[in-house]
Amino acid sequence: QVQLVESGGGSVQAGGSLRLSCVASRYTYSIYSMAWFRQAPGKEREGVAAIGRDGRTRYADSVKGRFTISQDNGINTLYLQMDSLKPEDTAMYYCAASLDSTGWLTSGNYNNWGQGTQVTVSS
């Protein structure tokens, strides 16, 4: 198992930027894949961005070109740089880790989750 702690959420106006961080309790290079998910009120949790152990990435179509996922294995931290934010990006953002497979953007493939950090984008 791995504990995950997110930070960096907040309130921002449309067009602004935020960077989310997720600190893992074990070496991130030992984790098969990590990802960011989000859930807005009344909506299902959706995958936003994922990164595999080999550095390959995947993004939801709704965030391509605006969000960038990265990780710093030296400090066991996953990041999500969010630029050109839109009101529809408003949600609770969760960090997730899979220890035994490349989960990509499917939530059922992950069994380690953080508590979430709120992102609110106003128009």
Side-chain angles (χ1 to χ4, degrees), residues 83-117:
D83 298 319
S84 302
L85 282 162
K86 304 176 181 179
E88 50 263 44
D89 294 320
T90 296
M92 184 71 78
Y93 283 71
Y94 298 90
C95 174
S98 174
L99 302 182
D100 54 11
S101 65
T102 305
W104 293 129
L105 299 178
T106 303
S107 60
N109 292 339
Y110 294 87
N111 54 9
N112 297 276
W113 294 86
Q115 293 300 306
T117 185

Side-chain angles (χ1 to χ4, degrees), residues 1-121:
Q1 295 299 310
V2 56
Q3 282 71 50
L4 304 168
V5 179
E6 304 99 331
S7 63
S11 297
V12 64
Q13 289 190 330
S17 298
L18 285 173
R19 188 176 78 158
L20 306 183
S21 300
C22 171
V23 179
S25 62
R26 62 187 291 169
Y27 295 122
T28 48
Y29 66 73
S30 69
I31 298 173
Y32 257 87
S33 66
M34 298 187 74
W36 290 97
F37 288 79
R38 66 185 181 188
Q39 188 166 19
K43 295 188 177 181
E44 294 186 355
R45 187 170 296 188
E46 64 170 341
V48 174
I51 185 166
R53 194 161 59 179
D54 59 1
R56 288 183 297 162
T57 58
R58 288 191 183 175
Y59 295 92
D61 289 342
S62 58
V63 306
K64 281 181 181 177
R66 300 189 297 122
F67 289 11
T68 303
I69 189 171
S70 63
Q71 62 185 39
D72 186 335
N73 292 330
I75 55 173
N76 304 329
T77 301
L78 179 74
Y79 299 105
L80 184 68
Q81 178 66 42
M82 305 186 294
D83 298 319
S84 302
L85 282 162
K86 304 176 181 179
E88 50 263 44
D89 294 320
T90 296
M92 184 71 78
Y93 283 71
Y94 298 90
C95 174
S98 174
L99 302 182
D100 54 11
S101 65
T102 305
W104 293 129
L105 299 178
T106 303
S107 60
N109 292 339
Y110 294 87
N111 54 9
N112 297 276
W113 294 86
Q115 293 300 306
T117 185
Q118 177 68 38
V119 171
T120 302
V121 184

